[in-house]
Amino acid sequence: MNFRTENLTAGYTPGSQTIHGISIEIDQGETLCMLGRNGAGKTTSLKAIMGLMAYTEGSVYLDGERISGFPAERIANAGIGYVPQGRRLFNELTVQENLEVGAFTRRDRRVDYDRVLELFPGLKDRLDQISGTLSGGEQQMLAMARALCLDPKILLLDEPTEGLMPTMVQAIAEFIQQLMSMEVSVIMVEQRLDVVKMAASRICLMERGTIVKTLSSEELPSNTETIHRALSV
């Protein structure tokens, strides 16, 4: 599996650009983290990759196929899952029904719900529970489980640990490590350096809609000051 973007440029309104020439590449089983202060263009990058906003320049490739311009459903069917910031569950539906919604796009193949739930054992006993009554951490787990029902090659995670208690933050980091061992690639936006250090293979530092520096996990300890400066207001 190989994924790359070339010179991706996009904005929220006609004539405006929030990201400028984003070029990244990720191989099978890698986790790439996008770091930067609010407004740096991290979430916009994920939305553009997922086909949720139009971009004015650039291309997106998955396994050599250009998927730029595809509708979001077709991009998901190609093998890209997306967990947006704030989870976006169907709160009035049960856990099981949310999982079924996640699987709908890949209805051309059987979904192995048991395999997905093995990664999230806390959801197994809550399949009939209304998802809006789950805790914040449980809802985040459900959002990721729903995305995994697509059997994705790449999972896009936007602030997966936002607002969660430390024990759940640890669980999310461990889950991302599991994905790497399963050879599922991850592109995530994350502000917690402890999670980044635990789970990321590489990080991209973003400022004003551009990638200003890319670091490997081995380079993180010697670049702590640079990272903190990129995150500071």
Side-chain angles (χ1 to χ4, degrees):
M1 194 288 301
N2 179 267
F3 170 87
R4 74 182 191 275
T5 70
E6 294 181 353
N7 195 37
L8 203 58
T9 300
Y12 286 91
T13 59
S16 71
Q17 295 180 353
T18 306
I19 55 173
H20 314 275
I22 299 296
S23 296
I24 60 174
E25 186 165 0
I26 186 168
D27 291 321
Q28 191 167 13
E30 274 196 294
T31 294
L32 177 69
C33 180
M34 293 182 164
L35 276 179
R37 61 178 64 91
N38 291 339
K42 309 179 299 296
T43 293
T44 304
S45 298
L46 296 190
K47 287 183 176 180
I49 289 170
M50 200 62 211
L52 296 174
M53 61 188 311
Y55 34 94
T56 55
E57 295 181 42
S59 301
V60 180
Y61 296 89
L62 178 61
D63 288 336
E65 179 185 9
R66 188 177 185 271
I67 61 174
S68 314
F70 286 3
E73 179 179 341
R74 189 173 173 188
I75 290 175
N77 198 50
I80 300 182
Y82 177 48
V83 182
Q85 187 177 16
R87 299 179 279 275
R88 309 280 180 86
L89 296 174
F90 294 96
N91 289 331
E92 71 281 5
L93 299 183
T94 66
V95 169
Q96 179 67 46
E97 288 167 338
N98 268 277
L99 294 177
E100 291 171 356
V101 169
F104 183 75
T105 300
R106 300 300 290 268
R107 56 189 181 274
D108 59 325
R109 67 194 69 183
R110 178 183 175 274
V111 176
D112 190 348
Y113 291 109
D114 290 336
R115 175 176 174 270
V116 171
L117 290 170
E118 282 177 6
L119 295 170
F120 304 98
L123 297 177
K124 281 186 176 182
D125 298 327
R126 299 177 181 270
L127 293 177
D128 294 326
Q129 184 170 338
I130 299 299
S131 62
T133 65
L134 298 173
S135 70
E138 290 166 340
Q139 289 184 10
Q140 184 64 45
M141 292 292 189
L142 176 55
M144 292 188 294
R146 182 179 63 181
L148 283 181
C149 287
L150 293 167
D151 191 22
K153 299 174 183 178
I154 300 176
L155 192 59
L156 309 181
L157 300 175
D158 196 353
E159 301 278 11
T161 68
E162 183 180 39
L164 302 184
M165 63 179 64
T167 54
M168 192 57 70
V169 169
Q170 176 74 17
I172 296 294
E174 291 173 355
F175 162 72
I176 295 170
Q177 289 178 319
Q178 282 184 286
L179 290 178
M180 294 171 67
S181 67
M182 294 165 58
E183 298 190 330
V184 176
S185 302
V186 176
I187 301 175
M188 70 172 175
V189 172
E190 180 55 65
Q191 299 294 81
R192 295 183 60 106
L193 290 182
D194 53 342
V195 175
V196 173
K197 290 175 181 177
M198 182 184 299
S201 309
R202 289 180 292 132
I203 68 169
C204 293
L205 299 180
M206 293 190 67
E207 292 183 7
R208 299 180 181 179
T210 62
I211 295 173
V212 296
K213 193 175 185 67
T214 301
L215 302 169
S216 68
S217 57
E218 292 80 11
E219 293 175 300
L220 292 180
S222 60
N223 284 271
T224 302
E225 184 177 343
T226 300
I227 293 169
H228 280 291
R229 187 165 60 248
L231 293 173
S232 65
V233 177

